[in-house]
Amino acid sequence: MRRPPPVPKFVISPSQSERSSISPPIDLRQTFVDSFLAARELQPNSVRSYQQDLQQFMDWYDHPWNAVSQRQVIGFKSYLIDDRKLSNNTVRRVLQTLKSFYRWMSVSGHVTHDPTKGVQLPEAEEGESQELSDAEVEQIYQAVQESKFPERDQAIITALLHGLRGEEVSNLNVGDYQTQIVEGYASKQLHIREAKADSTGWVVLFEEGIAEFEAYLTWYREQLGRPLEADDPMFLSYSNRTKSQKQRLTYWGIREIMRSLKEQTGIDLHSHRGRHTYATNLLIKYGLGEGEAMKLTRHRDRRSFKRYTNKKEIYAAQVAILKASGQLPS
């Protein structure tokens, strides 16, 4: 019995407009990255940093996560060092992110092996403290007086010079300015509720810092035309886009203030230099020990704090030689 002739099939190709409307295939690797980031309690800046680190690997090697071997991870490390010419500290950070991601992938059952195990991190390089001099701090405060909102911006600079990170300043609420009793003394402090690496805690304000915040809060209350409430953002954005909505000043808004002050003063200024200044001053100006200074700056890693103890040791050596040579009184 003869088979019937096959029925012809017509394949209609999509038009150019139809082709352009077809969505590209979803990169499933990113869905795992999204789940990894969602599973961790990270600040927005940390989320961006983790994403950028993992994106570097995804751009370098376009295979699924479960197809990555230790050989590829070692090759990626060589690429970062030899081709990208990145510093040891940057390579360490990227590889630590990749290691953290694969630990989560393994524990979550998404992969059966961790290709980052056994891959050594490059030796950490000791950074240098980038503290501001007293003259530079004075110059910055003078420049702030020319800003559109000197009361607010001066309080922001004061918070940064008390060791707060830019994002921590953005996250402050009015209620975070509190009185704490220490040895029977009423100490004004800032409560850091949200912080990098869960480095929450309390920041003791110096007398000049208290004066700055008291003056600022008086001005702030007058601007709002009502009593301040505990959950009011400590710092509002007064940009044309957000002024009428009374929105919280973001980390990027603080960066813009730093950029403007950098242009005015010529000082290489970014928000973290305030933190460097605070840590260095605790050790040198106020003579605190390393452990005490680490508690106040909410540092957990002695290696990252080493830049400040190095500065103290250099300063002590300079004082010693000046005294020994008779240039300073003993």
Side-chain angles (χ1 to χ4, degrees):
M1 181 177 180
R2 295 181 62 186
R3 293 181 179 178
V7 178
K9 295 181 179 179
F10 299 96
V11 178
I12 302 174
S13 298
S15 66
Q16 180 64 36
S17 61
E18 290 172 327
R19 282 198 299 271
S20 63
S21 66
I22 297 175
S23 300
I26 296 174
D27 187 346
L28 294 179
R29 295 179 301 167
Q30 183 59 48
T31 62
F32 288 111
V33 172
D34 292 340
S35 297
F36 164 68
L37 296 175
R40 301 172 66 87
E41 294 184 0
L42 299 171
Q43 295 296 308
N45 278 355
S46 298
V47 170
R48 283 189 290 270
S49 179
Y50 275 56
Q51 175 64 62
Q52 289 168 1
D53 290 345
L54 293 171
Q55 190 62 53
Q56 287 191 69
F57 185 83
M58 290 191 285
D59 292 341
W60 180 79
Y61 192 66
D62 62 357
H63 288 58
W65 291 117
N66 61 4
V68 176
S69 68
Q70 187 187 75
R71 180 168 168 267
Q72 274 87 48
V73 177
I74 293 172
F76 178 59
K77 173 184 172 183
S78 298
Y79 160 73
L80 296 175
I81 296 172
D82 300 330
D83 297 350
R84 294 284 308 281
K85 308 295 184 185
L86 299 179
S87 69
N88 279 11
N89 288 347
T90 301
V91 175
R92 282 177 64 87
R93 190 205 69 229
V94 174
L95 292 179
Q96 282 172 334
T97 298
L98 193 62
K99 281 175 173 286
S100 179
F101 173 69
Y102 264 108
R103 280 196 298 272
W104 175 82
M105 290 281 282
S106 181
V107 169
S108 301
H110 299 308
V111 295
T112 56
H113 72 288
D114 180 353
T116 67
K117 276 189 176 179
V119 177
Q120 297 297 312
L121 301 177
E123 287 293 324
E125 300 166 342
E126 288 185 0
E128 291 187 7
S129 173
Q130 299 177 29
E131 73 277 359
L132 297 160
S133 68
D134 289 346
E136 287 175 321
V137 170
E138 182 62 28
Q139 191 179 353
I140 290 166
Y141 272 122
Q142 289 177 358
V144 165
Q145 300 310 310
E146 300 176 16
S147 73
K148 290 183 179 179
F149 307 99
E151 295 86 357
R152 180 200 65 176
D153 294 355
Q154 190 157 304
I156 288 171
I157 295 298
T158 297
L160 293 172
L161 287 171
H162 278 77
L164 274 71
R165 302 174 178 94
E167 194 155 12
E168 293 169 358
V169 174
S170 172
N171 289 335
L172 284 175
N173 287 338
V174 168
D176 295 325
Y177 178 69
Q178 298 183 22
T179 300
Q180 297 291 305
I181 304 300
V182 181
E183 293 284 325
Y185 174 76
S187 166
K188 287 291 187 181
Q189 301 187 19
L190 294 175
H191 186 201
I192 312 302
R193 295 170 291 101
E194 301 176 49
K196 176 183 177 182
D198 198 30
S199 55
T200 55
W202 295 86
V203 174
V204 177
L205 291 170
F206 299 130
E207 287 186 355
E208 58 270 27
I210 297 171
E212 293 288 354
F213 266 86
E214 291 291 340
Y216 164 66
L217 290 171
T218 298
W219 174 85
Y220 187 14
R221 190 181 304 113
E222 292 171 354
Q223 293 297 303
L224 288 182
R226 62 166 174 79
L228 296 174
E229 298 178 5
D231 59 355
D232 282 331
M234 178 67 79
F235 299 109
L236 291 180
S237 170
Y238 294 103
S239 69
N240 292 333
R241 182 173 56 84
T242 62
K243 186 175 180 180
S244 62
Q245 301 169 2
K246 293 184 170 52
Q247 291 184 6
R248 181 185 298 274
L249 181 68
T250 65
Y251 168 77
W252 300 104
I254 293 172
R255 282 192 60 172
E256 180 60 24
I257 293 170
M258 295 299 105
R259 185 199 62 75
S260 177
L261 289 171
K262 179 179 179 180
E263 288 183 357
Q264 287 178 260
T265 62
I267 298 170
D268 183 15
L269 186 61
H270 51 79
S271 61
H272 219 61
R273 290 200 68 183
R275 185 166 170 79
H276 284 240
T277 305
Y278 179 65
T280 303
N281 285 345
L282 289 178
L283 293 171
I284 295 177
K285 273 191 178 182
Y286 298 98
L288 269 64
E290 179 185 10
E292 294 168 322
M294 286 184 65
K295 286 292 184 184
L296 290 175
T297 56
R298 295 164 289 116
H299 271 86
R300 293 188 172 185
D301 188 352
R302 272 192 161 81
R303 290 173 300 179
S304 66
F305 198 77
K306 185 68 174 173
R307 68 182 72 190
Y308 308 115
T309 54
N310 282 346
K311 183 71 70 170
K312 181 179 182 179
E313 290 166 2
I314 292 169
Y315 179 78
Q318 291 173 341
V319 170
I321 191 61
L322 288 171
K323 286 184 177 180
S325 64
Q327 298 178 67
L328 280 178
S330 298

